[in-house]
């Protein structure tokens, strides 16, 4: 039976690449993000491969989230796979000079946004006794690096929430897991550094992971047999050993 996946943060990077990967396999798609024109463009590109519905909302606004999920047309109301991917780092500053606005953005989007979207979708999964939730964490959820403070905290929270979800949803047969990448070359650093040209240097001198590498892994995770749940997956580029050890040319 054809499955339907809802992907947050589908306008760019890992979420967008996952949409293209899932479309190759005929998975029906609900693509979410704030940049509506990008969602429309992606829908136009994928609509010959699979059924696509777009939802334009900010994950950090709980009313927008619930209204968006409530607005789904009948054919898209049954969500089998939830990819909680929307998120970013905002800033890279020592704790003593960090910006309150950056901290709010990271906690509101990466943590509370993930919770709001999950809260809107989990009830239908518990009712059906099936579903698969993948939370995109980060290597930053497994270790803390200099100036990573609040971003790392938000991703540690994603891992804690993932473990909590897996325990609480266990009686319902719902799979829950996390995919935790190291350095992936997306718009991530442009957002983190707010367009500053330092963003161009982050992926220089080594071969970073590409969004398509993570999309390929996410498809692998969701295509395992029913009894197999990949609970926690950490993936680095070969040149990276941990958050601070990267072999550059
Ligand atoms: P991108 O900046 O390329 O993509 C981020 C996506 O999140 C965009 O589609 C953006 O859509 C969406 N998003 C951001 N804020 C909101 C919001 N408030 N409401 C709705 N959507 C939002 O970065 P990546 O693809 O790299 O990041 C995807 C995930 O992967 C994030 O959770 C990130 O933390 C994680 N990650 C990234 C790594 C990397 O090195 N790149 C490594 C490890 C994890 P829009 O702006 O249109 O709303
Ligand atoms: C993104 C990877 O190392 O920039 O989560 O925090 S890192």
């Amino acid at each position: 039976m054809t499955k339907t996946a809802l992907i947050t943060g589908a306008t760019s990077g890992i979420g967008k690449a996952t949409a293209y990967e899932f479309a190759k396999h005929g998975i029906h798609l609900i693509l979410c993000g704030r940049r509506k024109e990008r969602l429309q463009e992606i829908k136009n590109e994928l609509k010959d491969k699979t059924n696509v519905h777009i939802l334009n909302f900010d994950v950090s606004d709980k009313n927008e989230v619930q209204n968006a999920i409530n607005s789904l047309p009948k054919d898209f109301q049954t969500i089998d796979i939830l990819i909680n991917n929307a998120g970013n780092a905002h800033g890279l500053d020592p704790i003593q000079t960090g910006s309150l606005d950056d901290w709010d953005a990271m906690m509101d989007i990466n943590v509370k946004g993930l919770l709001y979207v999950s809260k809107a979708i989990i009830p239908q999964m518990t009712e059906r006794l099936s579903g698969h939730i993948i939370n995109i964490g980060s290597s930053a959820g497994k270790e803390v690096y200099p100036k990573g403070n609040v971003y790392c905290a938000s991703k540690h929270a994603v891992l804690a929430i993932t473990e909590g979800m897996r325990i609480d949803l266990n009686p319902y047969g719902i799979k829950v897991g996390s995919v935790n990448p190291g350095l992936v070359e997306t718009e991530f650093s442009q957002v983190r550094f707010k367009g500053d040209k330092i963003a161009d240097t982050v992926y220089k001198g080594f071969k970073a992971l590409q969004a398509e590498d993570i999309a390929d892994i996410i498809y692998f995770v969701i295509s395992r047999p029913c009894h197999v749940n990949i609970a926690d997956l950490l993936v680095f580029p070969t040149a990276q050993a941990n958050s601070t050890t990267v072999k550059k040319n």
Side-chain angles (χ1 to χ4, degrees), residues 18 40 45 47 97 156 165 173 200 216 218 228 244:
T18 303
Q40 194 57 56
E45 287 187 23
K47 69 176 188 304
T97 56
H156 276 68
M165 281 183 176
D200 300 335
D216 186 42
I218 294 170
V228 178
T244 51

Side-chain angles (χ1 to χ4, degrees), residues 137-140 145 151-152 155 181-184 188 192 240 243:
S138 170
S139 52
Y145 55 81
Y151 177 66
C152 295
K155 289 300 184 177
L183 290 156
V184 192
F188 179 87
R192 167 169 254 177
Q240 183 178 16
S243 295

Side-chain angles (χ1 to χ4, degrees), residues 20-247:
Y20 280 72
E21 181 64 27
F22 283 11
K24 275 196 232 161
H25 300 275
I27 296 171
H28 294 177
L29 295 170
I30 303 164
L31 303 180
C32 311
R34 291 167 302 180
R35 286 170 288 182
K36 197 174 180 181
E37 312 72 46
R38 286 198 183 194
L39 290 173
Q40 194 57 56
E41 274 169 33
I42 296 167
K43 179 178 176 174
N44 291 343
E45 287 187 23
L46 295 182
K47 69 176 188 304
D48 293 336
K49 293 201 170 70
T50 191
N51 296 351
V52 182
H53 185 76
I54 59 177
L55 284 182
N56 178 219
F57 65 90
D58 183 332
V59 294
S60 67
D61 181 325
K62 52 175 168 292
N63 295 322
E64 273 192 33
V65 171
Q66 193 60 58
N67 290 340
I69 302 303
N70 291 347
S71 77
L72 284 169
K74 198 164 185 320
D75 286 355
F76 289 91
Q77 279 170 6
T78 302
I79 298 165
D80 304 288
I81 301 159
L82 166 59
I83 311 292
N84 274 317
N85 162 76
N88 277 113
H90 294 267
L92 181 71
D93 300 293
I95 199 78
Q96 62 275 20
T97 56
S99 139
L100 289 179
D101 287 343
D102 285 345
W103 295 356
D104 281 344
M106 290 186 279
M107 300 314 276
D108 288 350
I109 298 168
N110 302 358
V111 183
K112 289 161 74 181
L114 180 149
L115 287 170
Y116 297 154
V117 174
S118 302
K119 173 85 172 161
I121 292 170
I122 285 171
Q124 58 157 281
M125 291 184 169
T126 53
E127 194 177 327
R128 288 199 311 274
L129 301 176
S130 74
H132 194 163
I133 301 172
I134 298 178
N135 295 328
I136 305 303
S138 170
S139 52
K142 293 182 175 281
E143 59 179 343
V144 178
Y145 55 81
K147 304 182 191 172
N149 45 63
V150 178
Y151 177 66
C152 295
S154 76
K155 289 300 184 177
H156 276 68
V158 168
L159 288 199
I161 291 164
T162 305
E163 290 180 22
M165 281 183 176
R166 193 164 52 247
I167 296 165
D168 295 344
L169 299 177
N170 172 269
Y172 301 92
I174 296 169
K175 295 190 193 188
V176 182
S178 64
V179 171
N180 301 288
L183 290 156
V184 192
E185 190 171 4
T186 62
E187 294 177 16
F188 179 87
S189 289
Q190 290 167 33
V191 175
R192 167 169 254 177
F193 297 110
K194 307 171 204 310
D196 190 291
K197 59 181 183 312
I198 193 175
D200 300 335
T201 65
V202 176
Y203 311 107
K204 286 266 161 67
F206 72 105
K207 177 69 181 174
L209 290 167
Q210 303 298 299
E212 292 72 20
D213 297 320
I214 306 303
D216 186 42
I217 288 166
I218 294 170
Y219 180 72
F220 178 80
V221 172
I222 62 120
S223 58
R224 293 310 84 211
C226 219
H227 66 288
V228 178
N229 179 36
I230 297 180
D232 189 342
L233 194 153
L234 174 65
V235 53
F236 283 121
T238 304
Q240 183 178 16
N242 64 19
S243 295
T244 51
T245 311
V246 182
K247 180 174 180 286

